[in-house]
Amino acid sequence: MEKKNNAEANALTPIGKNERKSWISMAFVQAGICVCVPSFLEGALLAEAMPVWPAIISGTLGYVIVVVVMSILGMMGCDLGMASCTLTKSTFGDKGGRYIVSLIFAINLIGWFGIQNGVCGEAFTNFMSEYAGIEVPLVVSNILWGIIMLLTAVFGMSALEKLDYVSIPFLIVVMALGTYLAIKEYGMSGMGKEVTQTMSFLGGVGLSFNFYAVGTITAADITRFQKSRKDTIKSVVWGVFPMGVITLVLGVLLTKIADNYDISMVLIAVGIPVFGVLALILSTWTTNSTNAYSAGLDIVMALGVPDHRRREVTIIAGLVGTVLGAVGILNHIEGFLSFLSFLVCPVGGVMMADYWIVGKGKAENWHPVKGFNWTGVASWALGAIIAYLFKIEYLGILAGFVIYLIVEKFVPSQSRVADGRLKEEKAS
């Protein structure tokens, strides 16, 4: 991989063995993605829709699905050292991966970058006005923090590592402190509050998964830096599961106790606003930097930009998301961004079927397909339709997986074909 000024330059070039990182460092990056305001919001939504224990258990099961799917897709990235969008060149063909998958990924990631950055900017503006007496225009605040978060993504995985090594321990301490102070301030009486159940248990599982759907399917963007399949599983399990469940549980508890799921707002309410704002900024930063990083990879592929222009493309992607968020456009299309989850999830199912079943889970059986791999494209489209009709996003993973295997029996995927010949396992 080309490097310059210690900044990761290339996007889609496979990561060499000498550039792989320890599973512990990647676990910190995975953990950083999980700690964000939407993760606490997930707990709040579950707490308002069902009793405490069903809320916690259903949300935890959602994270179990996340970890399993991330591990399976993540091992593919580790095997080949490739980003998620590059891996799709087999399942969807180079044009399908470029014009369908990469665009869906990029739009989703840029949109959520802008929305989360807007939340961070608004909190910073309010804090500066109320506690420092300095009026910072919201647009200025959004652009300021958008650029700061973007710089981490521009420098690449090494910068993300350093950020998360510092931020995750701090956030754990702050979350523990905030919970203690919330209990001290409000007591535990809210835990006994009666709740009319308005969401099914399976609905809770789906909600938990949906908050992390895109990060799950694009797992290879991070795990391509892992040294082995074993390391991949360890980084996902120890990075995603603990922090995901902790933020989920805190969202539930804080909603019940303080009637506010946001740990940063709770800290402000109990009298330590500096820690509250720092917690919000850091939790947004660790998640949003990864959004911009992955979006840069996808845009390089979608627009056919030279591979070594990853940094420049990442800057443009982040700035677009920041500006759209600052002017309020993204607030009107949150529903559309959520809808994209129905399109994202079947991508993962089709990719898994192609690599692990058709390709027998062997890196040497993977190869890019020219044009569109219509077997993969058709299976993805049917999987997306089924998921949307049932309004269960993660159903798209299973549907895409099963449909691909059925369709592939009648219309053998081009991913079995190399140099104009069927692979040996197909011929036999």
Side-chain angles (χ1 to χ4, degrees):
M1 175 182 290
E2 178 188 342
K3 290 188 178 182
K4 182 180 180 181
N5 298 328
N6 297 318
E8 182 184 317
N10 289 352
L12 309 180
T13 304
I15 304 298
K17 294 295 183 182
N18 62 327
E19 298 172 282
R20 304 297 177 97
K21 301 177 182 293
S22 73
W23 73 266
I24 294 177
S25 65
M26 290 295 95
F28 272 90
V29 174
Q30 301 280 20
I33 300 172
C34 293
V35 186
C36 57
V37 174
S39 295
F40 291 105
L41 173 60
E42 170 197 337
L45 294 175
L46 291 173
E48 292 172 349
M50 60 180 73
V52 172
W53 281 112
I56 291 174
I57 294 171
S58 64
T60 300
L61 285 178
Y63 275 108
V64 170
I65 297 174
V66 167
V67 167
V68 170
V69 176
M70 279 190 74
S71 296
I72 295 171
L73 290 170
M75 285 188 286
M76 294 165 55
C78 170
D79 286 356
L80 296 161
M82 294 179 183
S84 299
C85 56
T86 313
L87 290 173
T88 64
K89 287 184 177 182
S90 170
T91 316
F92 294 87
D94 56 5
K95 289 186 177 180
R98 178 180 176 183
Y99 298 123
I100 298 176
V101 181
S102 292
L103 281 175
I104 292 173
F105 286 169
I107 292 170
N108 197 300
L109 291 163
I110 292 173
W112 287 114
F113 177 92
I115 289 173
Q116 291 204 53
N117 184 66
V119 172
C120 178
E122 183 177 2
F124 182 74
T125 289
N126 293 339
F127 171 80
M128 294 299 290
S129 175
E130 186 170 347
Y131 295 97
I134 301 173
E135 297 298 329
V136 180
L138 181 57
V139 172
V140 173
S141 185
N142 285 343
I143 293 175
L144 170 66
W145 285 107
I147 291 174
I148 291 173
M149 294 175 189
L150 184 55
L151 287 175
T152 313
V154 168
F155 277 90
M157 194 55 60
S158 294
L160 292 172
E161 282 181 84
K162 292 179 176 63
L163 171 64
D164 290 309
Y165 268 135
V166 174
S167 61
I168 295 304
F170 174 80
L171 287 169
I172 289 174
V173 171
V174 167
M175 288 189 295
L177 175 64
T179 305
Y180 166 75
L181 292 175
I183 294 173
K184 184 178 179 181
E185 177 78 16
Y186 303 104
M188 296 291 289
S189 59
M191 294 298 293
K193 189 185 300 181
E194 290 293 327
V195 175
T196 301
Q197 186 151 344
T198 57
M199 182 184 297
S200 68
F201 185 84
L202 286 179
V205 174
L207 179 70
S208 179
F209 176 86
N210 294 344
F211 270 83
Y212 207 56
V214 178
T216 301
I217 305 304
T218 58
D221 293 351
I222 308 298
T223 63
R224 63 191 180 130
F225 288 92
Q226 295 285 206
K227 297 177 181 178
S228 66
R229 289 181 176 181
K230 183 178 179 180
D231 279 2
T232 298
I233 294 173
K234 288 194 292 186
S235 70
V236 171
V237 171
W238 290 106
V240 173
F241 194 73
M243 293 309 297
V245 174
I246 287 171
T247 52
L248 162 74
V249 171
L250 287 184
V252 172
L253 295 181
L254 293 175
T255 299
K256 295 290 188 181
I257 294 169
D259 200 27
N260 192 332
Y261 65 87
D262 189 340
I263 188 73
S264 60
M265 295 299 103
V266 171
L267 288 167
I268 291 172
V270 298
I272 46 177
V274 173
F275 278 93
V277 171
L278 281 175
L280 186 144
I281 289 173
L282 277 178
S283 61
T284 305
W285 192 349
T286 56
T287 303
N288 246 7
S289 292
T290 311
N291 285 339
Y293 176 80
S294 290
L297 304 179
D298 295 318
I299 293 177
V300 166
M301 181 164 163
L303 301 184
V305 177
D307 195 52
H308 65 281
R309 297 297 184 187
R310 183 200 70 83
R311 293 167 296 189
E312 294 88 336
V313 169
T314 303
I315 291 173
I316 294 172
L319 289 177
V320 168
T322 298
V323 172
L324 291 177
V327 299
I329 292 176
L330 295 177
N331 294 330
H332 300 290
I333 62 169
E334 283 192 49
F336 171 71
L337 293 174
S338 298
F339 164 75
L340 289 180
S341 295
F342 290 107
L343 305 183
V344 167
C345 288
V347 171
V350 174
M351 287 172 65
M352 287 191 288
D354 182 60
Y355 187 83
W356 293 102
I357 306 300
V358 173
K360 303 187 184 301
K362 297 179 180 179
E364 59 269 25
N365 289 341
W366 183 95
H367 68 276
V369 172
K370 289 188 176 182
F372 289 92
N373 186 349
W374 291 110
T375 304
V377 172
S379 301
W380 160 76
L382 289 172
I385 291 171
I386 290 173
Y388 182 73
L389 289 176
F390 284 90
K391 294 295 187 290
I392 303 175
E393 284 90 336
Y394 64 89
L395 178 61
I397 298 174
L398 179 61
F401 184 92
V402 173
I403 292 171
Y404 183 82
L405 294 181
I406 294 173
V407 173
E408 213 275 334
K409 289 292 184 183
F410 298 96
V411 185
S413 171
Q414 294 177 62
S415 64
R416 288 184 182 264
V417 182
D419 300 324
R421 300 186 303 274
L422 287 178
K423 283 187 170 290
E424 292 180 6
E425 63 264 29
K426 178 66 177 177
S428 62

